[in-house]
Amino acid sequence: MSTHKPQFFDLNIGEILEAWSPRHAVRELIANALDEQALTETRDIVIAETAEGWIIRDQGRGLRHEHLLQNENEEKLASSSKVIGKFGMGLKDALATFHRRGISIEIRSKHGDITLAERPKHDFAELRTLHGVIHPPSNPARVGTEVVLRGLDVAEMAAAKSFFLRFSEEEVLGTTRYGDILRRVHGRPGRVYVKGLLAAEEENFACSYNITSLTAAMNKALNRERTHVGRAAYTERVQNMLLACHSPAVFEILATEIANLDRGTARDEVKWGGVAVHACKILNQAQKVVFVSSRELQEAPSMVENARNDGHRIISLPETIRAKLSGLSDHTGAPVRGLDQFAREWCDSFSFDFIEPESLTPAEQAIFERRDDIAGLVGGWPPIVETVLISSTMRPNDAGNDDALGVWERATRRIIIKRDQLESLHEFAGTLLHEITHARSGHGDVSRGFELALTDALGQIAADALSAAPRSSSPRPDRRSPLRTSSRRAAPASSPPASAPRSGKAKTKAKARPSNTPPRKAASKAAPRATSKSMAVKSTRKSSKAMPTRTTRKSSKPASRRPTRTKSKKSTGRR
């Protein structure tokens, strides 16, 4: 039997961490065992429940009592990239917690066995403090360090192990020089580990993260308790990892969350602008996608549908993120495909399906032959216009939300009209005059110059029509103003209109006019009708100001187009 007397040393524990439970103390023991394994490159540590109690064993060099006296471990500081801890305070705090919670602890190594006891402090007999008690080694040949805990609840051990990435079974999705990106465990918050040890939990993170390269702010934030590490300390590193990662699994998670941005249900990572833009670039490179804003979804549904029909995945983004993508390229140099970029590509691949005049129906030919008469209403053809063509297909309009009705191509000096405009003289004339005004003015839609030119054209047509029609000598029945008379025409369809509707007879008379003779209005009520008509056309053109400037037009081939008439019953069925 050994005759060596036990030796005592004061642990000199100052502030006791009252908030610590047994799980936090066990966490420190496991962290020390893992650090020793990393430093000595030995076998995995063992954590098991035995007849003696819970044991935690490593295969390292064995703990000495001097390790309990130091406040800073120089070896760990020199190998900070390998280990979890750096101070010697963690083990002493753990011993104090076990003692306070009534849990027995015994530390065994070839250098001796250590237990705890309360004894009077040296030179202060009335003050009792916690001391370590050093016994001769129970096994001088022991390899490593074995810690025995008696009275520890199973749930506390399970909770202690859950602090460590090693025991969490979280899948690594991607590895970067800043750390690892992990798949978040279902039903549990996202986690932020620092060198494998839990530092924070994030309810609204899409992934978990293990940070292995620390910033100065993180080193400062990792306090003695290893808890309450604020997001500000690790946000930079999480962003660094996401920007440096090229894992398809991570991209898919970010793509899903980006799609949730516009719904307001996205996780926090993609709310960081840099991460969102990076994810869009990667997604653009990996998949056929088109990025759109909620405004574009509403204003350009036809172009969005074109993208879907072409096999593109539609990703809806907030306006702020969507705006940042304009003009960007992905990592292969390809442009990031927003709806404007897709529309340009779509229009570049577009081809007209021209119809020869002799292939038109007789009714269509009759209307098409009136083109010189229509041009004569505004002073004839502008010299820049060389030809007028009919096509059964048409590029999308300025907003990309429907097919245009007509287009003026300055580069080819031609006006192209969609075939369905030949269904009536009214529609063909309106579209042709619109494009003639573009050619004459040189201005595109939604511009002040075009509005002025269109107003001038309408005024010219109205003046010619009014001067050719005899002024009515009969008084108005109710002496109402033209505006109020116009409003009366908005009565239900069962009431006869104030002026005669267009009829086949009226069309025949118009067809018999000379090519440059403006239409005559012989009826006494024709003048108010013409005035109201002109006002309605102008109002319709003004409504086009709400539409954005067309982005599908090549800068080298500017083209002017007539906006779709949304009030026409026929136009609603021609998408």
Side-chain angles (χ1 to χ4, degrees):
M1 180 180 294
S2 174
T3 59
H4 289 87
K5 291 184 178 181
Q7 298 178 340
F8 301 92
F9 63 94
D10 193 343
L11 293 175
N12 287 316
I13 297 175
E15 178 187 2
I16 296 177
L17 302 179
E18 297 287 348
W20 273 25
S21 64
R23 67 188 62 183
H24 297 103
V26 176
R27 176 190 65 190
E28 296 305 310
L29 298 180
I30 296 175
N32 279 340
L34 290 173
D35 285 350
E36 184 65 12
Q37 176 190 331
L39 290 170
T40 59
E41 298 182 352
T42 50
R43 289 179 294 172
D44 287 346
I45 67 171
V46 175
I47 301 176
E49 189 175 19
T50 68
E52 285 190 281
W54 283 98
I55 64 168
I56 301 171
R57 182 188 304 126
D58 65 59
Q59 305 297 317
R61 296 159 295 186
L63 185 137
R64 299 172 180 269
H65 80 276
E66 291 87 355
H67 294 147
L68 300 174
L69 301 177
Q70 60 190 7
N71 289 331
E72 197 168 63
N73 189 313
E74 293 184 2
E75 182 183 25
K76 289 186 177 182
L77 289 175
S79 305
S80 59
S81 62
K82 295 182 178 181
V83 299
I84 297 171
K86 58 181 178 179
F87 302 114
M89 297 294 291
L91 184 54
K92 290 200 294 184
D93 289 331
L95 296 177
T97 298
F98 289 134
H99 182 72
R100 182 166 53 87
R101 300 284 184 172
I103 297 172
S104 170
I105 180 172
E106 183 178 358
I107 303 173
R108 301 168 179 169
S109 77
K110 65 182 180 181
H111 306 294
D113 297 354
I114 301 173
T115 58
L116 299 177
E118 283 190 9
R119 290 179 57 85
K121 192 173 182 63
H122 183 64
D123 292 335
F124 295 91
E126 71 282 0
L127 181 62
R128 298 179 66 83
T129 59
L130 189 62
H131 285 62
V133 184
I134 307 173
H135 306 273
S138 55
N139 181 4
R142 188 185 305 278
V143 176
T145 302
E146 181 180 82
V147 179
V148 181
L149 297 170
R150 302 180 180 91
L152 179 69
D153 188 74
V154 174
E156 290 296 313
M157 175 57 79
K161 291 175 68 175
S162 72
F163 285 114
F164 294 88
L165 175 59
R166 175 181 291 243
F167 307 113
S168 71
E169 299 181 353
E170 289 176 275
E171 177 189 358
V172 177
L173 300 178
T175 299
T176 73
R177 64 190 181 94
Y178 305 104
D180 303 322
I181 301 175
L182 316 168
R183 189 181 300 280
R184 176 175 168 172
V185 176
H186 180 71
R188 195 170 73 184
R191 290 184 151 200
V192 178
Y193 297 92
V194 177
K195 298 179 181 178
L197 182 61
L198 181 64
E201 290 188 323
E202 291 281 358
E203 290 287 347
N204 206 40
F205 267 14
C207 299
S208 293
Y209 303 90
N210 180 35
I211 301 172
T212 56
S213 175
L214 277 62
T215 63
M218 290 193 67
N219 277 317
K220 185 177 181 180
L222 289 175
N223 52 30
R224 176 182 168 195
E225 298 184 54
R226 302 186 193 272
T227 56
H228 309 301
V229 179
R231 178 184 282 195
Y234 52 78
T235 294
E236 179 184 349
R237 273 297 181 250
V238 172
Q239 292 189 55
N240 291 151
M241 280 191 278
L242 290 170
L243 294 175
C245 183
H246 295 280
S247 163
V250 174
F251 298 157
E252 186 59 33
I253 291 174
L254 292 179
T256 300
E257 296 306 324
I258 284 174
N260 291 333
L261 271 172
D262 219 29
R263 305 186 190 103
T265 60
R267 303 290 185 179
D268 289 347
E269 289 96 325
V270 293
K271 294 177 183 177
W272 299 326
V275 173
V277 170
H278 171 72
C280 290
K281 287 182 177 182
I282 297 298
L283 197 57
N284 188 82
Q285 179 179 336
Q287 299 181 19
K288 288 183 64 176
V289 294
V290 173
F291 300 102
V292 301
S293 65
S294 56
R295 178 181 60 82
E296 289 173 319
L297 284 173
Q298 294 176 354
E299 295 183 355
S302 293
M303 186 58 69
V304 172
E305 190 60 27
N306 288 337
R308 284 198 181 98
N309 293 338
D310 281 358
H312 290 82
R313 178 181 176 186
I314 303 301
I315 304 295
S316 179
L317 301 174
E319 294 286 352
T320 52
I321 302 299
R322 171 66 184 88
K324 293 179 180 180
L325 301 182
S326 296
L328 295 184
S329 299
D330 63 25
H331 300 294
T332 65
V336 175
R337 191 176 293 104
L339 191 62
D340 52 349
Q341 176 63 30
F342 173 80
R344 282 192 289 270
E345 295 172 359
W346 194 86
C347 285
D348 287 343
S349 64
F350 177 86
S351 61
F352 288 105
D353 183 13
F354 292 116
I355 308 297
E356 294 297 329
E358 55 269 19
S359 298
L360 298 173
T361 66
E364 290 173 333
Q365 290 183 29
I367 293 174
F368 186 56
E369 288 172 359
R370 301 300 303 277
R371 58 190 181 277
D372 290 337
D373 296 341
I374 296 169
L377 297 176
V378 288
W381 295 104
I384 195 172
V385 177
E386 291 186 352
T387 185
V388 177
L389 301 175
I390 300 298
S391 174
S392 61
T393 58
M394 185 59 66
R395 293 173 182 166
N397 64 13
D398 289 348
N401 55 14
D402 209 342
D403 285 348
L405 304 179
V407 58
W408 156 241
E409 290 188 341
R410 178 176 296 274
T412 58
R413 302 166 69 92
R414 63 187 182 179
I415 291 174
I416 304 169
I417 306 293
K418 194 175 182 183
R419 183 175 185 174
D420 61 12
Q421 296 303 286
L422 293 174
E423 292 178 5
S424 74
L425 182 62
H426 164 79
E427 293 187 12
F428 178 68
T431 302
L432 182 58
L433 288 171
H434 189 93
E435 303 308 327
I436 288 174
T437 305
H438 277 306
R440 178 170 284 120
S441 68
H443 294 289
D445 281 321
V446 200
S447 67
R448 180 64 173 165
F450 176 71
E451 282 208 357
L452 291 174
L454 190 60
T455 300
D456 181 69
L458 291 172
Q460 179 181 347
I461 295 172
D464 290 345
L466 291 173
S467 62
R471 187 177 183 85
S472 175
S473 59
S474 58
R476 299 191 190 100
D478 54 4
R479 294 293 185 179
R480 292 184 179 180
S481 69
L483 289 179
R484 297 185 65 182
T485 301
S486 176
S487 65
R488 185 176 62 181
R489 294 193 186 98
S494 58
S495 302
S499 60
R502 291 177 299 164
S503 64
K505 184 177 180 181
K507 290 182 179 179
T508 302
K509 289 183 178 180
K511 189 171 182 178
R513 287 194 302 271
S515 60
N516 289 322
T517 303
R520 293 180 62 85
K521 301 294 181 178
S524 60
K525 297 180 182 179
R529 174 71 172 180
T531 303
S532 176
K533 183 79 173 180
S534 299
M535 291 170 62
V537 172
K538 183 175 181 181
S539 175
T540 302
R541 296 296 180 243
K542 279 193 173 182
S543 68
S544 68
K545 290 182 70 176
M547 299 171 63
T549 303
R550 182 157 62 95
T551 56
T552 59
R553 183 180 306 143
K554 287 185 178 179
S555 60
S556 62
K557 296 176 65 176
S560 304
R561 300 176 187 182
R562 183 187 178 206
T564 305
R565 285 185 295 225
T566 57
K567 293 185 179 180
S568 172
K569 292 183 180 179
K570 294 180 181 179
S571 65
T572 59
R574 295 201 300 270
R575 293 190 176 187

